[in-house]
Structure formats: structure tokens, C-alpha cells
Amino acid sequence: MTAPLRLGTRGSALAMAQSGHVAEALTAATGRPVELVEVVTAGDRSTAPVQRLGVGVFVSALRDALTAGEIDFAVHSYKDLPTAAAPGLHVAAVPPRQDPRDALVATNGRTLAELPPGARVGTGALRRIAQLHALGMQLEVSPIRGNVDTRLGRVLGPDADLDAVVLARAGLNRIGRADVITETLDPMLMLPAPAQGALAVECRADDQDVIELLALLDHAPSRAAITAERALLATLEAGCSAPVAAYAVLAEGEPTDEGDVNQEIYLRGAVISPDGTRDLRLSRTGTPADAAEIGKALAAELLELGADSILGQDAQAGPGTQQLGSTE
């Protein structure tokens, strides 16, 4: 019998659910059995804010296991990956992206507009904190850490101390908790993090057999959108604590003279000061083949408008050192 492929994953409920979906899809597409191998990362062992833990805190242990040959491939929340490529490793597949929008879970089924001034809202991302402040609703926004269930307990549990939390809708979907969402936030109000809702399936660059198997899971439209968003992030050279947002969608463009309809990629990007007082937002369109160049060009426009002054010291982290925090 063919030996099972070893899939490395973090041990949280969300990470296990994500990896389980990928394992099932790979087995269905190839017939190869897959076993999950839990790998504990530095981010799992710490309760400190993500921006204090350093770059790659949720992925470095998985990458070490890959390099050492302890696992055959790994599944990451794509937004946890530094933008620089890891030597000797290759992202062989980007499966179809889940809904990248943020979601509100509030007491009494309330929407964001129904929260009164002074309402206590928890989130783990400075990007969300900055955009909540930018709304001018006088919310009391608190940084929080923990897995999805821990965060939901801050609103729905017996010891709840918050009026609402903001989480990635994709994460709630993947663990079967979408029923607790009281509002899915419009990207016009809350632009997602680059690569939010997407997974990166990574293996060794010299393992051609595994690369060919994983390629069957790759979804070209999702990869193009992620490429544009992460090119923007990389060009901004934003540190892990920077409130940077980006969201790319693919749509049908204008018909050609031959009657064909080409696809276009529409990218929105934003850099927001943590207190919400400065909010730069721009958009750009192009073809999926030019996804990386679209992201770079939009970042350059944001920098021309003063994004670097908002990013401040985070811009000194250097290329390839970006991380916005865990999907959870």
C-alpha cells in the first residue's frame, strides 16, 4: 500500500479543520491517504500579542518540520506567511478561497450600527482596531488573543465581558460556527487583511511528486487575488503590527473585438493609522496575469500619499517580514 502523506498542522480547532478539509480534498483527487501531524508553534505557546511575537510565529515550526523531512506538506492560513519565499520550500496550492470578509459577533444579535457609544469590542488585529476607530462610533476597542472559541466566550460565554468581537468569517465557517455571526461586515467598512480566508499548501521545492499532487488543489482565481494582495503588502514593507488591508476580486471585463470576455482583477488597498484619524484607501484594476504588478503599483500610490508616515517604524522591518496575525 502507498504510505500516507504526512500533513503538518497546528493543533487548534481551526487549524485542524482547515488541514482536514485539504486532506480530504487531496485524497478525493488523488486516492492518496493523508495523516495529520500536529506541530506546536511558538504562537501556540504564548499569550502575548501577535505583533510582539515576531514574524512567522505561526509557521516557522511547520517549516522546520518540512525542511527536516518530518512532514511531507503543511497547511497555513495564508495571511500568517511572511511575504518572502522560504528557501527550499514552495507553495504548491492555493485552494478555493473562503469568504474573506470580517464578521461581527455581538450580544443580543446586534449589528455594528446598533452598538451604542462606549460598547466594548474585542479583536486581535490592529487593522480591525484602526478601521473601527475610523468609523467614529466611539467604540471601546480592546485587543484580544486566543483561539476562536476563547474569543467567542468573551461575548457569548457565562463570563462574557465584551459587547462584541470581530473575527474572520472564514474561520467561523470552517469550524461550523457561522450561526453566531450577527453581521458580515461590508469591505467598504472593514477591508480584510491581505490573503484573509485563503490557505497556503506548502511542500519542499525539490519534492516533485508531492508538488504534482498538490497542484490538483490549486485554484487559479484565488491564487491571482492573493498574489495581488500580498504584492501590495510586500511593497509597503509593513511590519506585523501595521494596519494594512487589501482585497482583490476577479470579475469579467469588457468584451474583446473577437467576442471573448477577459477577466479583470480589482484590488482595493488601505493603510490606516491605529487611532483611525488617517485613512488612505485606493484601488486599481488589471489582468490576473499582472496581479503582482497591480499590487506593487497600488502600494507605490499609497506610499506617494504618505502611507510610510502612517506605517512609521514598521516600514523599517525590511522586505519579506510581514505578518498580520493568525486567522483566529
Side-chain angles (χ1 to χ4, degrees):
M1 293 182 61
T2 303
L5 293 169
R6 299 163 297 169
L7 191 170
T9 177
R10 296 171 58 202
S12 70
L14 176 55
M16 295 294 283
Q18 292 174 165
S19 296
H21 291 322
V22 171
E24 291 170 4
L26 187 61
T27 298
T30 68
R32 286 291 297 272
V34 178
E35 64 177 5
L36 301 187
V37 178
E38 183 178 343
V39 177
V40 179
T41 72
D44 298 316
R45 292 191 295 266
S46 175
T47 59
V50 171
Q51 56 266 29
R52 295 182 187 174
L53 294 177
V55 174
V57 65
F58 293 106
V59 303
S60 57
L62 286 165
R63 286 180 158 176
D64 288 344
L66 259 180
T67 301
E70 297 167 2
I71 56 176
D72 299 304
F73 66 108
V75 173
H76 311 283
S77 293
Y78 212 146
K79 70 175 184 176
D80 288 346
L81 289 183
T83 53
L89 300 181
H90 172 65
V91 176
V94 180
R97 186 184 199 175
Q98 284 259 356
D99 190 333
R101 294 175 295 175
D102 285 309
L104 183 79
V105 179
T107 56
N108 302 317
R110 290 179 292 186
T111 65
L112 186 61
E114 292 169 338
L115 294 177
R120 297 161 297 172
V121 182
T123 176
L126 282 181
R127 169 191 60 84
R128 295 182 184 128
I129 293 172
Q131 291 186 88
L132 287 169
H133 285 314
L135 295 175
M137 296 177 60
Q138 300 179 341
L139 301 172
E140 182 182 319
V141 187
S142 303
I144 59 174
R145 274 287 314 269
N147 60 31
V148 174
D149 287 330
T150 298
R151 297 186 192 199
L152 291 178
R154 301 286 297 272
V155 175
L156 306 177
D159 299 318
D161 61 339
L162 297 172
D163 297 297
V165 292
V166 181
L167 298 151
R169 181 179 175 89
L172 292 168
N173 282 339
R174 285 179 175 131
I175 65 169
R177 297 301 307 274
D179 60 300
V180 300
I181 296 172
T182 57
E183 182 182 9
T184 299
L185 300 176
D186 190 318
M188 295 298 291
L189 294 177
M190 182 72 66
L191 201 63
Q196 184 160 303
L199 301 178
V201 187
E202 190 173 49
C203 65
R204 289 182 292 279
D206 61 359
D207 195 339
Q208 194 59 40
D209 290 341
V210 172
I211 288 174
E212 292 177 4
L213 291 173
L214 295 179
L216 297 174
L217 304 183
D218 194 57
H219 185 243
S222 296
R223 184 180 281 272
I226 298 311
T227 297
E229 294 169 11
R230 284 173 59 82
L232 178 145
L233 182 62
T235 305
L236 289 175
E237 298 185 358
C240 63
S241 63
V244 175
Y247 181 29
V249 295
L250 271 68
E252 291 186 350
E254 295 295 325
T256 66
D257 293 338
E258 292 75 26
D260 298 324
V261 178
N262 293 322
Q263 277 195 320
E264 284 190 340
I265 190 166
Y266 173 56
L267 174 65
R268 282 179 279 173
V271 179
I272 314 99
S273 64
D275 62 3
T277 58
R278 297 185 64 190
D279 189 346
L280 300 179
R281 296 175 185 261
L282 294 173
S283 63
R284 196 175 183 91
T285 61
T287 67
D290 296 323
E293 296 306 314
I294 295 167
K296 293 175 185 177
L298 186 55
E301 292 182 58
L302 287 166
L303 288 169
E304 287 177 6
L305 292 177
D308 53 345
S309 65
I310 296 177
L311 297 173
Q313 296 300 312
D314 293 320
Q316 300 178 14
T321 61
Q322 296 79 5
Q323 179 194 342
L324 294 183
S326 167
T327 298
E328 296 178 342

